[in-house]
């Protein structure tokens, strides 16, 4: 789907627009563990982020990267 999403106009907001049409209390989005277009779309539609992780060096470094990406995306929301 990522290749198709890249070609859409305003693709970062496509999920947020679709979710506004429904009256959900909560929606859990579980994107793949890589940081690509799908993850950005999920972050643009999200009001909060839950990041399960392990307490070891590599996952902690990855967590720092994810949090920095959350901050970047939140500036565009």
């Amino acid at each position: 789907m990522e290749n198709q999403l890249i070609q859409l106009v305003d693709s970062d907001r496509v999920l947020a627009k679709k979710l506004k049409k429904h009256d959900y209390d909560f929606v859990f989005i579980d994107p793949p563990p890589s940081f690509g277009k799908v993850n950005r779309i999920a972050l643009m539609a999200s009001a909060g982020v839950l990041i399960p992780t392990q307490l070891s060096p590599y996952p902690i470094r990855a967590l720092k990267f994810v949090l920095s990406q959350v901050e970047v995306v939140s500036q565009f929301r």
Side-chain angles (χ1 to χ4, degrees), residues 1-73:
M1 287 296 300
E2 195 154 334
N3 291 335
Q4 294 172 356
L5 289 170
I6 290 171
Q7 297 173 5
L8 288 176
V9 174
D10 202 22
S11 64
D12 286 340
R13 291 177 174 80
V14 78
L15 181 59
K17 288 177 183 177
K18 289 190 181 283
L19 290 174
K20 282 184 182 179
K21 296 178 183 178
H22 301 283
D23 192 27
Y24 297 122
D25 291 329
F26 295 96
V27 175
F28 289 92
I29 304 168
D30 187 15
S34 62
F35 208 88
K37 190 68 167 173
V38 173
N39 292 62
R40 268 191 201 86
I41 291 169
L43 285 174
M44 288 294 287
S46 299
V49 179
L50 176 66
I51 308 169
T53 190
Q54 296 174 332
L55 294 176
S56 57
Y58 178 72
I60 296 299
R61 283 194 303 264
L63 181 61
K64 289 179 183 178
F65 173 74
V66 171
L67 291 174
S68 71
Q69 292 301 307
V70 168
E71 188 66 33
V72 168
V73 170

